[in-house]
Amino acid sequence: MKKAFYKTLYFLAYGFWYLVALLPFPVLYLLSDGLYLLMARAVKYRHKVIWKNLKNSFPEKSDDELRQIELGFYHWFCDYIVETLKLMTMSKKQLMKRMTFTGTDELNRVLFEGKSAAVYLGHLGNWEWITSLPYWVNNALCCELYHPLENEYFDRLFKFVRERQGALCIPMQESLRKIIQFGRSGKPLVVGYISDQAPFWWSIHHWVQFMNQETPVLTGGERIVKHMSQVFVYGDVTRTRRGHYNCEFRIIREETKGLPDYEITDLYFKELEQSIRRQPEIYLWSHNRWKRTRARFDEYFEEIDGKVRLREGKEMIY
């Protein structure tokens, strides 16, 4: 019964998404403007989290400046929602006009040499549209790591939309196995890593100074990059105007196999912080990124032989 219910919801969601995606961009942006009034003015969606993140990240800015960034965030976030819905029906021509890439000559060079590339990105701009990268690279298999949704039907729906342009989605828990498997295809890989999420407590092995705060970070992607000798590339995303984005590829380290632990992660967060400070309104401030603190970690956990364990006498926290 439950399965039938979720299956029905899936078809309803698919139909609704498809119908909305048929609307032209001017109409979608009118919907976005209405959604902005609701989220920013009436509901004040996740205002406390957004404000806390902005205050801690930009202590040098006045409240008026932070308020302008917050309002800009709401405008961008509502655009991001309708742009993601539109992805279901966007043509190759539309995507290549609205989501452009620069630095592809260097990326194609390393791919031509038979090397695979790790493209590090953040929750900046429209990361969903970056799935159109297969239109811009030569003779390579493009894929991205992602966290599957708990509901298998909705996970299938989002996966379908993300893979329309030819990029494959790899569940995080299967990442290394799948990357090795895809590597046997005979084509070089371009793997997208969006690595600015908050890790679970037991996955914390490294902290960085990021946006003026001590921040726990994911390091699993770095281990894969070094194990597979992937070229470390940063994707610097900007919004050039409403509904138009550019991603500039910059090779940070071409040889990664022997790099010191966490060097890739540290360099990534330095690059990402520069991108955010340039256009702070297009970063995902509504995510409770800094909910896990170093003091809390040290109180409840300890790392023994490379594994994070709960301290004796402590109960698990989430």
Side-chain angles (χ1 to χ4, degrees):
M1 189 72 175
K2 189 175 181 181
K3 188 174 182 179
F5 173 72
Y6 281 124
K7 199 169 184 178
T8 302
L9 277 183
Y10 166 81
F11 285 115
L12 289 173
Y14 182 95
F16 173 77
W17 190 335
Y18 183 78
L19 289 174
V20 173
L22 291 175
L23 297 172
F25 272 104
V27 176
L28 287 172
Y29 284 129
L30 283 176
L31 292 176
S32 175
D33 291 341
L35 188 60
Y36 162 77
L37 293 175
L38 178 67
M39 294 180 72
R41 304 294 185 177
V43 177
K44 293 190 175 180
Y45 170 74
R46 307 209 75 181
H47 165 72
K48 288 184 179 180
V49 171
I50 296 166
W51 192 252
K52 178 185 175 184
N53 287 342
L54 289 174
K55 287 281 282 186
N56 290 339
S57 297
F58 302 103
E60 75 283 1
K61 293 187 181 296
S62 67
D63 284 358
D64 285 343
E65 290 174 309
L66 295 178
R67 182 59 178 161
Q68 289 305 308
I69 294 174
E70 183 184 32
L71 293 176
F73 161 77
Y74 281 123
H75 268 297
W76 160 77
F77 185 64
C78 293
D79 282 356
Y80 162 79
I81 291 172
V82 299
E83 288 165 1
T84 300
L85 291 173
K86 184 65 175 175
L87 187 59
M88 180 178 273
T89 60
M90 287 180 74
S91 65
K92 177 180 178 180
K93 183 179 179 180
Q94 278 183 311
L95 270 168
M96 292 188 75
K97 178 181 177 183
R98 290 179 172 270
M99 182 71 242
T100 58
F101 295 88
T102 52
T104 51
D105 289 347
E106 277 296 285
L107 181 60
N108 280 316
R109 174 185 64 79
V110 300
L111 297 174
F112 180 76
E113 292 172 358
K115 301 174 183 177
S116 291
V119 177
Y120 270 74
L121 302 155
H123 286 92
L124 188 76
N126 194 318
W127 54 92
E128 301 292 352
W129 282 8
I130 292 178
T131 57
S132 62
L133 179 58
Y135 298 147
W136 296 80
V137 297
N138 301 324
N139 193 37
L141 181 60
C142 298
C143 48
E144 61 172 326
L145 305 190
Y146 85 110
H147 287 285
L149 301 176
E150 290 186 15
N151 185 293
E152 63 172 306
Y153 293 102
F154 286 96
D155 181 64
R156 188 188 307 170
L157 177 57
F158 275 87
K159 190 168 178 284
F160 165 74
V161 173
R162 286 169 171 165
E163 292 186 339
R164 280 189 67 241
Q165 286 72 46
L168 301 177
C169 293
I170 301 176
M172 290 288 291
Q173 63 270 24
E174 301 176 25
S175 52
L176 181 58
R177 181 177 64 83
K178 286 286 188 181
I179 288 171
I180 292 173
Q181 177 186 327
F182 291 155
R184 292 172 182 155
S185 68
K187 289 184 176 182
L189 300 179
V190 179
V191 184
Y193 298 85
I194 300 182
S195 297
D196 57 341
Q197 304 100 319
F200 294 114
W201 288 110
W202 50 89
S203 298
I204 297 174
H205 298 280
H206 187 54
W207 300 74
V208 301
Q209 277 298 124
F210 173 57
M211 299 305 300
N212 198 50
Q213 298 160 83
E214 195 170 24
T215 307
V217 294
L218 294 169
T219 55
E222 173 176 322
R223 290 193 293 273
I224 295 172
V225 172
K226 291 166 68 175
H227 180 79
M228 301 299 295
S229 298
Q230 295 175 341
V231 176
F232 169 31
V233 181
Y234 178 66
D236 188 6
V237 177
T238 54
R239 183 167 68 164
T240 55
R241 57 192 172 99
R242 192 177 198 182
H244 292 78
Y245 301 86
N246 181 72
C247 177
E248 178 189 358
F249 295 125
R250 292 200 297 271
I251 295 176
I252 309 300
R253 293 287 186 273
E254 195 153 339
E255 301 296 331
T256 57
K257 189 81 171 178
L259 290 178
D261 288 346
Y262 310 128
E263 181 172 318
I264 290 172
T265 301
D266 291 347
L267 289 170
Y268 159 64
F269 276 97
K270 286 180 181 178
E271 293 285 346
L272 180 59
E273 178 162 336
Q274 290 178 20
S275 300
I276 293 169
R277 290 189 179 279
R278 183 185 56 232
Q279 278 189 305
E281 68 278 6
I282 66 169
Y283 188 61
L284 191 61
W285 296 108
S286 56
H287 176 50
N288 198 2
R289 179 66 186 83
W290 290 277
K291 60 186 174 183
R292 298 187 175 97
T293 66
R294 184 64 174 266
R296 194 80 163 160
F297 178 84
D298 290 342
E299 179 184 355
Y300 280 84
F301 300 92
E302 58 185 344
E303 187 170 348
I304 301 175
D305 297 328
K307 292 185 178 180
V308 175
R309 304 179 188 274
L310 195 65
R311 290 187 183 275
E312 188 175 347
K314 295 292 185 180
E315 295 183 2
M316 179 59 74
I317 56 175
Y318 293 95

